Amino acid sequence: MKATLVDIQPVSTYQGKVYTQDIFLKVASGTELRVSDANMYCDDSLIDRKVDVKLKASDVEKVNEINYEEYRLTPHGKTCGITILRGKISNIYENTAKKYVIGIDVGCGLICCHIFKNDAPNFSPEANSWVELKKIMNVYLKDVEVLEK
């Protein structure tokens, strides 16, 4: 997903050293997402720079298959979560006894979503179908690449 990194805020520190942080990304749609950067991929030199990020979403409370085409990305605001995500399933990366790992195109990029089967027992993802996820409690940064030097 292409975005502009607009801010970095420390989350956990000890004796002046930052161990985890949240980053704020502005995506092409204008939406600003708060994302956990637990691996400290970003530093202040990336603020106001265009980046390509890989995001992982987990702890999804509700999954609905929808029969209309709509992209929507509504951030939670105060945490690294998303209130509503609507998009098109582009890939099914994993289908195990416990979970699905699917790529969802949200219009401004792709988010890799981990959906546990016990949380969505009636959900069976199909590529190119449309889906709505509600109350995604965690969004993590998995990788970042600088697009503009």
Side-chain angles (χ1 to χ4, degrees), residues 89-147:
I89 298 174
S90 63
N91 298 302
I92 301 169
Y93 300 114
E94 188 177 317
N95 179 357
T96 67
K98 292 186 177 188
K99 72 177 178 177
Y100 296 108
V101 179
I102 59 177
I104 300 178
D105 179 353
V106 294
C108 56
L110 195 73
I111 297 180
C112 183
C113 299
H114 292 236
I115 301 170
F116 288 90
K117 291 182 177 180
N118 60 346
D119 294 335
N122 298 322
F123 179 62
S124 180
E126 293 181 26
N128 299 314
S129 63
W130 290 79
V131 68
E132 174 184 73
L133 308 181
K134 290 188 175 181
K135 295 186 181 175
I136 300 169
M137 300 311 293
N138 294 297
V139 181
Y140 303 96
L141 181 66
K142 298 307 293 174
D143 195 18
V144 63
E145 177 185 335
V146 178
L147 297 176

Side-chain angles (χ1 to χ4, degrees), residues 64-92:
N64 297 314
E65 294 180 49
I66 56 177
N67 58 4
Y68 54 92
E69 298 179 8
E70 180 184 34
Y71 294 113
R72 183 168 175 188
L73 192 57
T74 306
H76 185 271
K78 295 183 180 185
T79 65
C80 298
I82 297 173
T83 303
I84 298 173
L85 178 154
R86 287 189 195 129
K88 185 177 184 179
I89 298 174
S90 63
N91 298 302
I92 301 169

Side-chain angles (χ1 to χ4, degrees), residues 27-42:
V27 298
S29 65
T31 300
E32 192 171 291
L33 295 176
R34 184 176 188 152
V35 176
S36 174
D37 181 14
N39 292 313
M40 305 291 292
Y41 290 117
C42 298

